[in-house]
């Protein structure tokens, strides 16, 4: 299999409810924030940003932009900078894999990522008594001092592959592999699939005229696309002209 | 107590003028206290984790990385002086070579110590050696700095073994002699390693496609910051050496080197600084007008946030670049100690600013169009850790000065300790 | 990565990087090992003692490196450039032929015309059986007095010229006395016997580097001048001495003096 898994997120459908963030945290065993954590020291592999067009009154427009790892396909910034190859691009799936067990915690990848999609474990993970029962057994818990990020719910891909192998199939059933954020979104704003497969819905969505990518001119070839009919959103994302005056985290 | 004084005196070279034991201990006390505080702060970070600092996901690199880069640039005086003496045969710089080695040792060991606290999992440091990523500048930095630290230790050992008491052990003295013979090899090796890691530290930022403020084009795999960092390091190394030696002369009340040594170091520093400023100016123009525009970043996008306005760029190039280059080379000012020191201090300031801009400003600036400009103030643990490193440096330098032959015979001075 | 680690694949980058790295590591290691190896071989081939002496001699102050011929009044001023090894000095024959100008006064310390003196304040007396007796000279005796302990080399061991002959301890100071000649220790004496070592010398016997007869007073006189300066109570100027003899047991008589400096200068240590 040589897939290129990616997503197309319809910004005109995203309501900013944050279900994707919660589902991601639950799926990936993200520990609850300590009392001293701030928005800048939190662990949010999926993060929904609220962005405004900067106008006032009736002209004001806002949009919610969910940001996760873009799984950059070309000269992936984080892969080339990691001193001990704790990140690599999986050739079979196009997923940028982070290995927390090998991570030294130097944070160079965090500096390199233009999308700020990488998060550091500033604290030892700790769950209140009893809450450890909610941990997902398929995903390893990370330790303090390492970097983590979205890995497109690779554990679910793994389960899909095991299921296919058990059924003596070579390819996985796409319906078996759906990342947690995609599954949780109530408006179906996130479309997930194999960008290398022309028959996959995500392929045509990514190539539609409304689709764009963040900071496309940097040339990192992210595999997360966004879709919006609003021109100001597109201009903002590609960073061609004016900038938003405010932004907030959800 | 008098026993202690006699024993202490025994370790100081015969005939060398050093302050009394009591006075020396009094001098050490505040530095030891600062070092203890630094160790405590570092201990907190190692025990509780990096949440003890004010770094966060957006400011993943903070004060420590900035100061590490600065300290390694200043420590370039060690390899560069060795290069000048052994490879370019500038024998009149020989008297300052030992102290340059000690200073280099202090800078690099301090930087490595801080780096061990800065990473999230210090015990995994060996992973870089086992799984090196040949595409990463940080791998290159790690390898080179580790090797170079060993080279510095090997260069420091002969100085250590010429201590009055240690040299009485025959095997130490003979070993020192044999190691001393091989110092030109170490000097060449040090120059080679330093060339690469000083450059790679610049390369760390120059390759960041995702940070247009830092990203530069260059030659083959090396961005222009690679070469600019080497140039700035060899420019500032001699200046830092001048400053530290002048401070040592002031504190000890002794003439440690001939004035000609200061002037020569100043001249070399000034000339290199001039070349660096010219190269940087060209690089800045290319970066602002070609490189950044190609990815949609307008040049003054980088400078519209207070306090990081374009004045900072001007400051780096003119008052802290051209001006010290001028002060250090032009005989009118270079001949006068006061102006020379002023030039050296400005040069160091310029390089400090350059490292700061590249580490802190890069992270403060937004990349995504809807990001904000961020602020970061280091926590007391970060400041204390680094203050501890400075204290460590002062202690090692003081001990080395007191008990080891750091400087050669100066005509007119009464010491009878010589450099081998 | 190393070839045996899982996931490794060769690339130009790997070859260049790893070969450079290993070249550097090898150079560092071989430098260190070479120094260690050469040190060991220096000891094995008995060059170590001479090397230590050469290095120490080079760092003695000029006033302690005066040529014996200057002290003997044969030449006006000369600093030894041969580590006191007159046996291999090109100028020795030329200078030795010149007349000695001895000081007319009594130097203030005893010496004997029958003994040969080493600059490290030991004397050598050739015996009829071809062996040499080695002892401590009067000046050193007057400084030290009765040593608290003496550590002599064992019978049969080798001593090397300018290496450490024997050690003594006095008032908490360790005195390392330099051996005046090369040879094997035949028997040992002590403070009471008046001699310390009987040596079977290494042949061919060459004692040219030892001071004798008329050369000795000039040397002793300069040594006493040095002692006067070094044993002064404070940083006062040297006083005009009008003769007199050196007091015995000076280490006991002047406990407050800087004995580390005095002893190192007397016994040719840095």
């Amino acid at each position: 299999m040589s897939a290129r898994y990616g997503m197309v997120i319809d910004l005109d459908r995203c309501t900013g409810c944050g279900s994707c963030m919660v589902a991601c945290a639950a799926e990936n065993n993200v520990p609850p924030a300590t009392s001293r954590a701030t928005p800048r020291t939190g662990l949010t592999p999926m993060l929904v940003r609220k962005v405004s067009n900067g106008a006032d009154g009736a002209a004001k427009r806002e949009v919610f932009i969910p940001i996760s790892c873009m799984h950059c396909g070309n000269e992936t910034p984080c892969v080339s900078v990691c001193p001990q190859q704790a990140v690599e691009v999986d050739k079979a799936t196009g997923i940028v894999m982070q290995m927390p067990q090998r991570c030294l915690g130097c944070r160079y990848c965090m500096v390199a990522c233009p999308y700020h999609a990488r998060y550091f474990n500033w604290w030892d993970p700790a769950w209140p008594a009893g809450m450890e029962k909610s941990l997902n057994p398929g995903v390893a818990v990370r330790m303090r001092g390492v970097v983590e990020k979205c890995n497109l719910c690779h554990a679910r891909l793994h389960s899909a592959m095991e299921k296919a192998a058990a059924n003596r199939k070579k390819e996985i059933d796409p319906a078996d592999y759906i990342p947690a954020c995609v599954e949780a979104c109530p408006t179906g704003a996130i479309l997930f699939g194999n960008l290398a497969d022309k028959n996959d819905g995500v392929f045509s969505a990514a190539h539609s005229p409304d689709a764009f990518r963040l900071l496309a001119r940097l040339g990192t070839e992210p595999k997360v696309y966004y879709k919006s009919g609003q021109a100001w959103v597109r201009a903002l994302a590609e960073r061609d002209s004016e900038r938003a005056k405010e932004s907030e985290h959800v | 107590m008098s026993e202690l004084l006699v024993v202490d005196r025994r370790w100081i070279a015969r005939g060398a003028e050093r302050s009394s034991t009591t006075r020396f201990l009094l001098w050490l006390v505040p530095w030891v206290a600062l070092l203890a505080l630094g160790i405590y702060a570092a201990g907190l970070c190692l025990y509780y984790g990096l949440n003890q600092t004010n770094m966060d996901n957006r400011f993943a690199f903070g004060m420590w990385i900035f100061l590490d880069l600065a300290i390694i640039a200043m420590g370039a005086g060690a390899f560069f002086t060795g290069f000048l003496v052994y490879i370019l045969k500038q024998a009149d710089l020989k008297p300052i070579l030992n102290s340059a080695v000690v200073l280099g040792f202090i800078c690099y060991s301090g930087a490595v110590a801080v780096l061990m606290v800065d990473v999230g999992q210090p015990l995994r440091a060996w992973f870089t050696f086992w799984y090196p990523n040949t595409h990463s500048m940080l791998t290159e930095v790690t390898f080179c700095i580790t090797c170079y630290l060993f080279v510095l230790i090997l260069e420091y050992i002969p100085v250590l073994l010429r201590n009055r008491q240690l040299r009485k052990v025959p095997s130490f003295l003979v070993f020192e002699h044999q190691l001393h013979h091989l110092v030109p090899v170490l000097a060449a090796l040090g120059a080679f390693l330093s060339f690469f890691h000083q450059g790679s530290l610049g390369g760390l930022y120059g390759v960041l496609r995702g940070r247009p403020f830092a990203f530069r084009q260059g030659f083959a795999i090396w961005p222009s910051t690679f070469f600019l960092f080497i140039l700035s390091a060899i420019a500032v190394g001699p200046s830092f050496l001048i400053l530290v030696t002048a401070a040592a002369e002031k504190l000890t009340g002794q003439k440690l080197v001939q004035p000609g040594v200061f002037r020569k170091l100043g001249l070399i520093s000034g000339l290199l600084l001039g070349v660096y400023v010219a190269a940087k100016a060209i690089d800045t123009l290319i970066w602002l007008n070609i490189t950044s525009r190609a990815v949609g970043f307008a040049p003054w996008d980088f400078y519209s946030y207070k306090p990081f306005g374009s004045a900072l760029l001007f400051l780096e190039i003119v008052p802290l670049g051209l001006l010290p280059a001028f002060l250090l080379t032009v005989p009118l000012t270079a001949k006068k100690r006061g102006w020379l020191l002023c030039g050296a201090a400005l040069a160091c300031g310029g390089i400090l600013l350059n490292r700061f801009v590249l580490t802190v400003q890069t992270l403060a600036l937004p990349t995504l169009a809807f990001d904000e400009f961020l602020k970061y103030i280091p926590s007391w643990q970060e400041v204390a850790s680094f203050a501890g490193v400075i204290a460590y440096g002062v202690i090692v330098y003081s001990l080395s000065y007191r008990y080891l032959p750091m400087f050669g015979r100066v005509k007119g001075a009464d010491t009878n300790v010589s450099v081998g | 990565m190393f070839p045996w680690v899982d996931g490794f694949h060769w690339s130009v980058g790997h070859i260049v990087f790893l070969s450079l790295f290993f070249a550097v590591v090898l150079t560092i290691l071989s430098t260190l090992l070479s120094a260690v190896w050469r040190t060991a071989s220096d000891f094995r081939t008995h060059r170590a003692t001479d090397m230590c002496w050469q290095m120490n001699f080079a760092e003695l102050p000029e006033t302690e490196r005066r040529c014996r011929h200057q002290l003997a009044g044969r030449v006006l001023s000369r600093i030894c450039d041969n580590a006191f090894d007159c046996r291999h000095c090109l100028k020795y024959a030329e200078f030795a032929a010149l007349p000695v100008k001895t000081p007319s006064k009594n130097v203030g310390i005893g010496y004997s015309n029958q003994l040969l003196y080493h600059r490290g304040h030991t004397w050598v007396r050739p015996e009829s059986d071809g062996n040499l007796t080695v002892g401590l000279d009067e000046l050193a005796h007057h400084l030290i007095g009765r040593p608290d302990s003496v550590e002599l080399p064992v019978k049969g061991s080798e001593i090397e010229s300018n290496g450490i002959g024997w050690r003594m301890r006095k008032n908490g100071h360790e005195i390392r006395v330099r051996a005046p000649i090369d040879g094997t220790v035949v028997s040992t004496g002590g403070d009471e016997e008046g001699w310390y070592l009987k040596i079977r010398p290494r042949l061919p016997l060459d004692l040219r580097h030892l001071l004798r007869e008329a050369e000795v007073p000039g040397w002793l006189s300069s040594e006493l001048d040095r002692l006067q300066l070094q044993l002064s109570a404070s940083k006062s100027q040297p006083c005009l001495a009008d003769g007199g003899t050196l007091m015995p047991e000076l280490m006991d008589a002047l406990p407050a003096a800087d004995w580390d400096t005095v002893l190192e200068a007397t016994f040719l240590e840095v």
Side-chain angles (χ1 to χ4, degrees):
Chain A
M1 137 169 93
S2 70
R4 278 181 55 238
Y5 286 107
M7 299 196 289
V8 179
I9 304 178
D10 191 339
L11 296 180
D12 295 334
R13 281 202 195 185
C14 177
T15 61
C17 68
S19 303
C20 53
M21 291 176 64
V22 174
C24 171
E27 166 75 14
N28 289 300
N29 297 335
V30 173
T34 71
S35 56
R36 281 177 50 225
T38 66
R40 277 161 60 171
T41 53
L43 273 172
T44 50
M46 170 60 92
L47 177 67
V48 179
R49 310 276 307 264
K50 180 163 131 183
V51 174
S52 146
N53 68 348
D56 284 315
K60 181 170 184 168
R61 297 283 181 274
E62 282 178 347
V63 77
F64 293 96
I65 305 187
I67 297 195
S68 65
C69 170
M70 301 283 149
H71 298 281
C72 302
N74 177 46
E75 289 190 39
T76 317
C78 55
V79 170
S80 58
V81 300
C82 178
Q84 46 229 36
Q85 300 187 72
V87 204
E88 61 176 15
V89 183
D90 183 358
K91 289 195 176 48
T93 58
I95 297 176
V96 177
M97 302 289 305
Q98 173 80 14
M99 283 175 268
Q101 301 85 343
R102 200 188 278 183
C103 178
L104 170 67
C106 73
R107 309 185 300 286
Y108 191 19
C109 57
M110 294 171 70
V111 171
C113 178
Y115 306 104
H116 311 305
R118 294 174 145 272
Y119 303 88
F120 188 71
N121 282 276
W122 298 97
W123 281 271
D124 279 305
W127 283 264
M131 193 174 163
E132 69 274 5
K133 295 203 187 77
S134 71
L135 287 172
N136 178 357
V139 175
V141 171
R142 282 75 59 197
M143 63 291 290
R144 178 231 293 174
V146 297
V147 176
E148 63 180 62
K149 66 172 190 68
C150 159
N151 61 0
L152 282 185
C153 289
H154 196 261
R156 293 187 174 200
L157 173 61
H158 221 78
S159 308
M161 285 164 71
E162 281 180 344
K163 189 168 164 199
N167 293 338
R168 310 260 168 114
K169 297 241 174 65
K170 267 196 146 168
E171 302 284 331
I172 62 160
D173 181 356
D176 286 333
Y177 175 35
I178 302 177
C181 53
V182 179
E183 194 181 26
C185 180
T187 60
I190 311 182
L191 198 61
F192 171 81
N194 181 359
L195 289 166
D197 181 3
K198 288 192 170 56
N199 298 323
D200 197 325
V202 83
F203 179 84
S204 43
H207 286 86
S208 78
D210 279 348
F212 58 88
R213 291 179 289 186
L214 291 175
L215 297 175
R217 290 177 75 175
L218 288 180
T220 54
E221 295 296 315
K223 294 211 250 335
V224 175
Y225 290 74
Y226 295 88
K227 231 174 86 151
S228 174
Q230 302 175 76
W232 71 271
V233 176
R234 189 196 187 103
L236 202 65
E238 291 178 333
R239 210 200 163 114
D240 265 331
S241 47
E242 39 264 321
R243 254 185 316 286
K245 296 290 189 307
E246 286 136 42
S247 74
E248 275 170 52
H249 295 216
V250 169
Chain B
M1 179 61 185
S2 65
E3 262 292 313
L4 183 69
L5 299 182
V6 169
V7 170
D8 180 52
R9 200 63 237 187
R10 216 170 261 180
W11 287 83
I12 299 173
R14 184 151 67 92
E17 267 189 57
R18 298 286 183 266
S19 49
S20 70
T21 312
T22 329
R23 211 151 154 237
F24 184 66
L25 283 174
L26 280 173
W27 159 253
L28 279 185
V29 161
W31 300 108
V32 171
L34 196 56
L35 178 64
L37 181 65
I39 292 176
Y40 172 65
L44 284 178
C45 296
L46 287 172
Y47 187 76
Y48 287 112
L50 287 171
N51 55 77
Q52 297 286 302
T53 68
N54 278 349
M55 291 187 281
D56 52 49
N57 295 325
R58 296 294 300 280
F59 263 105
F61 283 170
M63 189 187 102
W64 282 337
I65 294 291
F66 150 54
L67 287 173
D68 275 339
L69 258 62
I71 216 182
I72 287 178
M74 312 274 205
F79 94 83
F80 194 54
T81 315
F83 175 75
L84 287 169
V85 170
Y86 289 113
I87 314 293
L88 295 187
K89 310 290 187 206
Q90 303 292 309
D92 47 349
L93 290 179
K94 210 152 187 202
I96 211 170
L97 192 53
N98 277 357
S99 68
V101 165
V102 173
L103 202 55
F105 170 75
I106 288 169
C107 287
Y108 279 82
S109 55
V112 169
V114 168
L115 278 171
M116 285 298 100
V117 184
D118 201 355
V119 296
Q121 292 274 338
L123 293 175
R124 294 188 185 178
W126 64 277
F127 282 6
T128 313
F129 296 96
W130 199 248
Y131 307 110
N133 177 2
T134 54
H135 298 291
S136 169
M137 287 282 174
L138 197 50
T139 306
E140 217 283 318
V141 167
T142 310
F143 275 68
C144 279
I145 288 191
T146 311
C147 292
Y148 186 57
L149 189 58
F150 276 114
V151 170
L152 278 171
I153 291 174
L154 287 181
E155 289 185 335
Y156 186 48
I157 287 177
V159 184
L160 193 63
L161 292 179
R162 282 216 300 280
N163 168 266
R164 185 184 187 184
Q165 295 298 327
L166 289 178
R167 67 183 299 144
K168 286 186 177 161
V169 181
S171 50
F172 284 179
L173 196 59
V174 177
F175 180 64
E176 187 271 327
H177 177 80
Q178 295 297 6
L179 203 52
H180 194 75
H181 255 298
L182 295 166
V183 157
V185 173
L186 293 174
L189 197 61
F192 173 78
L193 286 171
S194 292
F195 176 84
F196 275 103
H197 75 247
Q198 295 286 356
S200 297
L201 283 171
L204 279 187
Y205 288 91
V207 295
L208 295 178
R209 249 170 208 282
R211 301 275 181 178
F213 181 73
F215 182 69
R216 300 284 187 281
Q217 280 153 349
F219 174 71
I221 57 170
W222 300 292
S224 66
T225 43
F226 183 94
F227 305 101
L228 289 175
F229 262 51
I230 297 175
L231 258 179
S232 56
I234 55 178
V236 83
S239 276
F240 186 58
L241 192 55
I242 290 174
L243 285 178
V244 171
T245 313
E249 283 196 337
K250 195 82 209 280
L251 283 166
T252 59
Q254 293 196 333
K255 191 161 95 143
L256 298 172
V257 286
Q258 299 281 26
V261 170
F262 277 2
R263 278 217 301 282
K264 188 159 201 178
L265 285 175
L267 182 66
I268 293 170
S269 178
L271 286 172
L272 287 170
L273 197 57
V275 174
Y276 164 67
V277 167
K280 183 163 175 72
I282 297 171
D283 170 71
T284 305
L285 287 170
I286 296 176
W287 159 63
L288 285 178
N289 293 304
I290 303 174
T291 317
S292 297
R293 281 201 195 276
V295 291
F297 282 75
W300 306 109
D301 267 344
F302 302 132
Y303 293 108
S304 54
Y305 302 95
K306 297 272 177 288
F308 294 152
S310 52
L312 219 57
L313 182 62
F314 175 78
L315 183 67
E316 200 187 321
I317 296 187
V318 181
L320 296 180
L322 273 179
L323 179 61
F326 179 81
L327 289 176
L328 291 167
T329 45
V330 168
L332 181 70
T333 46
K335 272 210 289 263
K336 305 200 179 75
R337 177 64 64 99
W339 283 113
L340 191 74
L341 291 181
C342 188
L346 287 174
C348 291
I351 300 313
L352 267 168
L353 182 59
N354 170 262
R355 299 315 191 243
F356 174 81
V357 158
L358 221 44
T359 50
V360 175
Q361 192 172 356
T362 305
L363 293 175
L365 293 174
T367 47
L368 291 165
F370 41 88
D371 272 334
E372 316 125 348
F373 174 75
L374 297 170
K375 294 200 178 73
Y376 154 76
I377 314 253
S379 68
W380 78 263
Q381 292 92 331
E382 293 175 78
V383 178
S385 305
F386 212 85
V389 168
I390 302 201
Y392 156 76
V394 171
I395 292 171
V396 171
Y397 195 88
S398 303
L399 289 172
S400 301
Y401 173 72
R402 187 175 178 79
Y403 298 115
L404 305 176
M406 282 240 286
F407 295 97
R409 256 182 263 233
V410 177
K411 271 204 169 56
D414 218 17
T415 59
N416 52 9
V417 178
S418 66
V419 163
Chain C
M1 221 188 239
F2 300 109
W4 51 83
V5 176
D6 178 46
F8 178 84
H9 53 274
W10 285 105
S11 73
V12 177
H14 274 105
I15 296 173
V16 171
F17 186 84
L18 288 177
S19 51
L20 277 174
F21 171 62
F22 283 118
V24 166
V25 169
L26 270 167
T27 312
I28 296 176
L29 280 175
S30 54
T31 307
L32 180 62
L33 285 171
S34 163
V36 172
W37 177 263
R38 286 194 202 174
T39 305
S41 88
D42 283 333
F43 278 92
R44 247 184 311 115
T45 55
H46 305 288
R47 276 197 313 254
T49 310
D50 190 50
M51 285 172 70
C52 288
W53 167 241
Q54 297 284 345
M55 292 173 73
N56 281 329
F57 180 81
E59 296 200 24
L60 288 173
E62 276 194 357
T63 51
E64 291 168 34
R65 280 188 284 138
R66 289 208 202 99
C67 173
R68 69 195 281 183
H69 301 297
Q70 180 194 334
L71 298 172
R74 285 184 176 126
V75 296
L76 206 53
S77 166
R78 180 181 163 80
I79 305 295
C80 179
D81 54 9
N82 214 25
F84 293 159
D85 191 0
C86 310
R87 296 171 294 187
H88 300 112
C89 178
L90 298 168
K91 297 282 219 181
Y92 176 78
E94 182 192 325
F95 290 142
L98 297 170
V100 171
K101 292 190 183 60
T102 29
S104 50
K105 61 176 168 61
N106 176 9
V107 287
I109 189 80
Y111 66 95
S112 164
N113 274 338
Q114 317 305 322
L115 300 174
L116 303 168
Y117 288 86
H118 183 255
R119 295 288 288 263
H121 291 283
T122 50
W123 52 256
V124 171
R125 182 176 63 221
E127 304 294 354
S128 48
D129 61 357
N131 285 345
L132 305 167
T133 309
V134 175
L136 202 60
D137 76 358
E138 279 294 297
L139 189 142
H141 252 130
H142 278 242
L143 284 182
I144 300 168
R146 276 185 68 87
D148 293 336
S149 68
V150 181
E151 192 191 305
L152 294 162
V154 295
K155 246 193 284 191
S157 60
E158 299 278 322
I159 59 163
E160 306 209 19
S161 171
N162 297 318
I164 302 303
W166 67 93
R167 291 162 209 267
M168 303 193 286
R169 290 205 74 87
K170 175 78 180 182
N171 293 352
H173 294 275
E174 195 200 31
I175 301 140
R176 304 174 343 147
V177 184
R178 291 204 183 273
I181 38 157
D182 308 291
T184 320
V185 178
V186 168
S187 60
T188 59
D191 188 44
E192 289 89 27
E193 286 88 334
W195 56 270
Y196 282 88
L197 299 174
K198 280 226 203 298
I199 307 292
R200 185 172 65 247
R202 209 171 289 162
L203 297 170
L205 187 65
D206 190 344
L207 301 173
R208 277 181 294 174
H209 60 295
L210 300 174
L211 298 158
R212 62 207 65 210
E213 299 169 328
E215 294 176 314
V216 179
W219 166 60
L220 287 177
S221 176
S222 82
E223 285 292 277
L224 286 170
D225 285 342
R226 171 182 61 77
L227 278 177
Q228 200 180 46
L229 275 171
Q230 289 183 329
L231 291 172
S232 309
S234 60
K235 305 232 190 309
S236 56
Q237 299 301 313
C239 315
L240 193 62
D242 55 356
T245 51
L246 193 65
M247 272 181 67
E249 316 218 339
L250 276 170
M251 282 185 80
D252 288 323
L254 299 170
D258 182 6
W259 284 109
D260 287 309
T261 300
V262 176
L263 291 170
E264 281 181 356
T266 307
F267 293 99
L268 301 174
E269 299 230 62
V270 174

